[in-house]
Amino acid sequence: RYETEILERFGARAQPDIDESWARIRQMSKNDAIAVNRSYTDVEVALTQLLQADRNVDDPEVQALIAVHYAIVCRFWTPTAQAYAGLGEMYVSHPDFRARYDALDKGLAAFLRDAMTVHALERLTQNRL
């Protein structure tokens, strides 16, 4: 379902990334998949704690967690700065993703998006927005 939505939103230019993601998923063991899901959860919980502690999205501790998030995403595909920031936007605009993150804290989806945008602009310099 998400694949169709991505293609509708970004067009055929998204197909190579989708294909890359499926190829990487096929190479993962069940234990790999469990570890990736656990890593996502660990990052989400830690980000929630920082959000609730009123940290800014450019805080070094927040950005260190976003670097971990980016590395996890790279297990599936390697997004450019623009694509990574776009993924953050999808976390806010898509009801399923927003519900997932905002279940931990009502502001987490937006916090995550904003922190991902900072990461994209500041750390993915070879792929500037």
Side-chain angles (χ1 to χ4, degrees), residues 3 5 10 17 22 26-27 30 33 37 48 57 61 70 80-82 85 94-95 101 104 107 109 121 125-126 129:
E3 182 176 330
E5 291 178 33
F10 299 104
D17 292 331
W22 280 118
R26 282 191 292 276
Q27 293 179 357
K30 189 172 191 169
N37 284 330
T48 300
V57 295
E61 200 170 349
Y70 181 78
T80 63
Q82 183 177 11
H94 194 286
Y101 296 114
L104 295 170
L121 288 169
T125 55
Q126 72 277 11
L129 289 174

Side-chain angles (χ1 to χ4, degrees), residues 47-109:
L47 284 170
T48 300
Q49 292 169 344
L50 293 175
L51 169 62
Q52 292 171 348
D54 291 324
R55 297 288 186 84
N56 291 322
V57 295
D58 61 351
D59 180 282
E61 200 170 349
V62 172
Q63 284 303 305
L65 286 168
I66 295 300
V68 172
H69 180 270
Y70 181 78
I72 297 166
V73 170
C74 286
R75 297 281 312 264
F76 299 95
W77 61 292
T78 306
T80 63
Q82 183 177 11
Y84 190 61
L87 177 63
E89 183 56 44
M90 193 167 86
Y91 289 166
V92 171
S93 65
H94 194 286
D96 292 348
F97 289 108
R98 185 171 196 118
R100 172 192 171 123
Y101 296 114
D102 285 356
L104 295 170
D105 184 285
K106 187 170 171 114
L108 184 59

